[in-house]
Amino acid sequence: MNETNFWQIIETAWTASPELNAARKLALRTNDPLLLEALSYELSDVIGENLRQFLEPLDKEELVSFNHIMEQKLYHIDRQEIHRY
């Protein structure tokens, strides 16, 4: 598992739900807070389930690697200098 594969799995989880993916693309373009909030609810339910389906076939090593990349990404967006803004 590398970052390319990681992002490919994330993107595949979104493309498996075309309406939500279209809403996500619009939200990224417009930064509409109401749309972003609505997507946040769907993220854990629908997209989370899509992601689970795409992660299920991975072997232990790939899944651990995916998890490590995810942890690095989450750490990066929650780093101290971000909290200053």
Side-chain angles (χ1 to χ4, degrees):
M1 176 72 55
N2 57 37
E3 282 200 36
T4 301
N5 299 89
F6 171 85
W7 288 115
Q8 185 176 19
I9 290 171
I10 301 287
E11 288 300 319
T12 303
W14 277 100
T15 58
S17 296
E19 287 183 18
L20 290 176
N21 194 36
R24 175 185 74 134
K25 289 178 181 180
L26 178 62
L28 290 172
R29 278 196 317 274
T30 64
N31 206 25
D32 178 342
L34 296 176
L35 184 53
L36 289 165
E37 181 180 4
L39 279 170
S40 72
Y41 298 119
E42 301 293 342
L43 184 63
S44 61
D45 294 333
V46 178
I47 303 304
E49 177 59 24
N50 293 349
L51 187 57
R52 187 195 62 76
Q53 290 176 9
F54 291 112
L55 292 174
E56 194 170 359
L58 299 181
D59 63 27
K60 181 180 177 180
E61 183 179 310
E62 292 172 315
L63 192 55
V64 167
S65 181
F66 181 93
N67 191 51
H68 284 150
I69 294 170
M70 176 72 81
E71 288 174 345
Q72 290 171 351
K73 299 298 179 192
L74 291 171
Y75 177 80
H76 181 73
I77 63 172
D78 194 36
R79 64 194 185 278
Q80 187 63 34
E81 65 260 23
I82 296 297
H83 291 279
R84 285 186 247 150
Y85 299 99

